[in-house]
Amino acid sequence: MSDYWGETVPSLPCRETRIMVQEPERLRTLFVAKEAASHWTQLAGLLTRQISEQSLPYRVVVEGDGSTGCTQNAVLCRGSGSGSGYGTTTREDDASALSGLGSGQQRESASASAAAEPTTTVVGESAEGTAPDCSDAADATDQDHAPTTVDWLVTLGRCLTPEVFGRIKPERVVVAHAGIPSTLAGIPNVPPIFNVHHNAQSTGEVAILLLLALQRRVIVADRGCRNGDWSPKKALAHPNAGCSSTAYNSTVVVLGYGAVGRYICRVLRALGSTVIAVRRHGVSGGEPSDDATAVHPTSDLPTLLPRATALIIAAPLTSETRGLLDSAALAALRDNASVVNVGRAEVVDEDAIWSEVESGRLGFASDVWWREGELKAATERGEPFWGSVHPFHTRDNVVLTPHYAGGVGLDGIEEARATAVLATIQQAEAGVRKPCDLSAGY
């Protein structure tokens, strides 16, 4: 963006006023990668709408092919609205934006809409997976064109490969959720990567849900009532309940003090719990945080775990956190403590937690599971899927959920995702948001 001085305009005697005229900001390209998840098109449409409504200097281009991973057809996702030109392009701009983006057939999108509401145009595949009617679309380029650099690659993280970086050449990347693929650390010349935390509160809510369900044995009570059996009311006093407690007199250790962990701590404090947070760079002995939660480093875990009536895991999977909660760490927890995991399964040793659960000493609730990578194949075979090699589903001191804490499909979640993506981009461009540490995984 460049500024220049216009003509001098007389005002008060002995003074002059200079009018500063600003050239229009260059439209930056947000390249939305098509991936396996179905809500990528919704994300592109919401980005387009918000760009148009806020008159932001961006245009959205969508890539997609109909098979797997990142893709081949590049099409414009267009918005119209306030008349500022932001979020819209001309046909000449379309051709420029699409030229050289990927291999395969690439088409210029259909002529610009004059409607008041922003629209999303996706050319190359219909909802049923067949080619739509593109009779009014013109061929723009061929696969022989060299890759064109785009300002931002917007992705759900499933297609960040050397091939994609070499073909699309993004200046920067925003992953539209909190997780960063661990494989990125081994790829050379990776552009700055940013992530978003649009569903931190949703994830934190499920952590609290799982904790309360464990502590009050909600699953057992519900099953009993459905069978006309009210005995679970008295079973709370059983010495092997593995989790019977209340939130207001609990001491909860929260492992992970990022966006999710902070939200969990705030809610627990409101419920009356004594809350202790643990993060990678805490101060030994604890330091007060902005919400008065004591924050410790992971090296303090051996002294903190014996104090806990509950342990909530909201940490990412890194080389430092993998297997962090092993048999020795779990053994340090007091009897009947609750262990809740909304971070990553591999932070907890699978065999060690099963041993504690099977004995009835600990309660366990989790939204993340060790075998999630096998889910798709089991579903395609029509087989039931269990998240572990151990039969956690047979235990009354276990609560299981299917990795749904992020809230995909809930009202407002995708709108929040798009808002967070745009906010992250603007913060990064303003220099107030640092990129992710790929070696740490977040």
Side-chain angles (χ1 to χ4, degrees):
M1 183 178 69
S2 61
D3 302 331
Y4 60 91
W5 296 106
E7 62 179 339
T8 300
V9 179
S11 181
L12 298 176
C14 302
R15 297 184 60 182
E16 65 180 20
T17 300
R18 292 179 181 268
I19 299 176
M20 188 173 70
V21 180
Q22 294 186 338
E23 293 179 352
E25 281 193 84
R26 178 183 67 86
L27 290 181
R28 274 93 77 192
T29 300
L30 311 186
F31 195 72
V32 181
K34 176 180 177 182
E35 299 169 270
S38 60
H39 45 281
W40 70 275
T41 51
Q42 185 179 12
L43 173 60
L46 289 168
L47 286 172
T48 302
R49 179 180 296 275
Q50 293 186 19
I51 287 168
S52 178
E53 291 174 346
Q54 301 175 48
S55 297
L56 299 176
Y58 304 105
R59 60 184 171 190
V60 179
V61 172
V62 178
E63 181 184 43
D65 75 359
S67 56
T68 59
C70 276
T71 55
Q72 311 206 358
N73 294 332
V75 295
L76 185 71
C77 176
R78 181 201 313 283
S80 63
S82 64
S84 66
Y86 292 163
T88 66
T89 61
T90 63
R91 290 182 64 84
E92 291 77 18
D93 287 333
D94 285 356
S96 175
L98 297 174
S99 176
L101 285 174
S103 60
Q105 186 183 34
Q106 298 172 328
R107 299 179 180 275
E108 187 177 3
S109 67
S111 59
S113 169
E117 291 297 320
T119 60
T120 301
T121 303
V122 178
V123 178
E125 180 187 359
S126 71
E128 292 77 19
T130 58
D133 181 7
C134 301
S135 57
D136 59 347
D139 285 356
T141 61
D142 193 75
Q143 62 182 0
D144 295 331
H145 283 269
T148 298
T149 298
V150 299
D151 298 281
W152 286 92
L153 170 63
V154 181
T155 173
L156 297 172
R158 295 174 174 84
C159 68
L160 296 181
T161 65
E163 184 273 331
V164 169
F165 289 136
R167 176 164 53 86
I168 300 177
K169 295 187 180 298
E171 294 286 348
R172 286 178 279 196
V173 177
V174 58
V175 177
H177 58 77
I180 300 296
S182 59
T183 54
L184 284 176
I187 299 177
N189 302 319
V190 173
I193 307 284
F194 298 82
N195 61 351
V196 302
H197 300 281
H198 68 287
N199 57 3
Q201 292 181 333
S202 173
T203 304
E205 287 177 2
V206 171
I208 302 299
L209 162 77
L210 292 175
L211 176 62
L212 297 179
L214 264 182
Q215 290 184 327
R216 304 308 289 267
R217 295 177 67 77
V218 170
I219 305 302
V220 176
D222 176 81
R223 184 173 64 243
C225 286
R226 291 174 187 273
N227 293 319
D229 176 12
W230 281 45
S231 63
K233 181 177 180 179
K234 299 179 180 180
L236 291 177
H238 194 281
N240 288 325
C243 38
S244 299
S245 183
T246 59
Y248 66 83
N249 63 2
S250 293
T251 297
V252 185
V253 171
V254 179
L255 177 60
Y257 196 61
V260 176
R262 283 182 168 86
Y263 180 78
I264 292 171
C265 289
R266 290 198 300 271
V267 175
L268 287 172
R269 286 174 58 82
L271 291 174
S273 302
T274 299
V275 184
I276 304 169
V278 177
R279 66 178 177 187
R280 183 173 54 155
H281 296 306
V283 175
S284 184
E287 62 175 332
S289 66
D290 52 4
D291 63 357
T293 300
V295 183
H296 295 252
T298 52
S299 58
D300 282 357
L301 274 175
T303 61
L304 298 176
L305 292 177
R307 299 168 52 187
T309 55
L311 168 65
I312 298 180
I313 301 141
L317 181 64
T318 69
S319 59
E320 296 177 2
T321 62
R322 183 181 295 274
L324 178 62
L325 298 173
D326 56 14
S327 57
L330 296 174
L333 289 165
R334 64 174 67 181
D335 289 349
N336 296 337
S338 303
V339 178
V340 174
N341 194 357
V342 293
R344 287 294 180 263
E346 293 82 2
V347 175
V348 184
D349 183 277
E350 185 176 7
D351 295 332
I353 187 62
W354 169 248
S355 178
E356 295 285 3
V357 164
E358 187 179 31
S359 72
R361 197 181 77 85
L362 298 180
F364 180 56
S366 187
D367 188 56
V368 290
W369 299 93
W370 296 271
R371 293 180 57 207
E372 287 189 40
E374 304 171 33
L375 171 61
K376 182 179 179 180
T379 302
E380 290 175 347
R381 294 193 300 267
E383 300 174 354
F385 177 73
W386 313 112
S388 170
V389 296
H390 299 297
F392 284 93
H393 58 283
T394 65
R395 301 294 307 181
D396 284 345
N397 55 336
V398 173
V399 179
L400 310 86
T401 53
H403 203 153
Y404 73 170
V408 172
L410 296 180
D411 288 346
I413 287 293
E414 295 309 316
E415 289 81 356
R417 187 197 302 271
T419 299
V421 166
L422 289 175
T424 297
I425 288 172
Q426 291 174 293
Q427 291 165 3
E429 291 180 343
V432 296
R433 178 73 178 268
K434 294 181 180 179
C436 297
D437 180 353
L438 298 186
S439 62
Y442 56 92

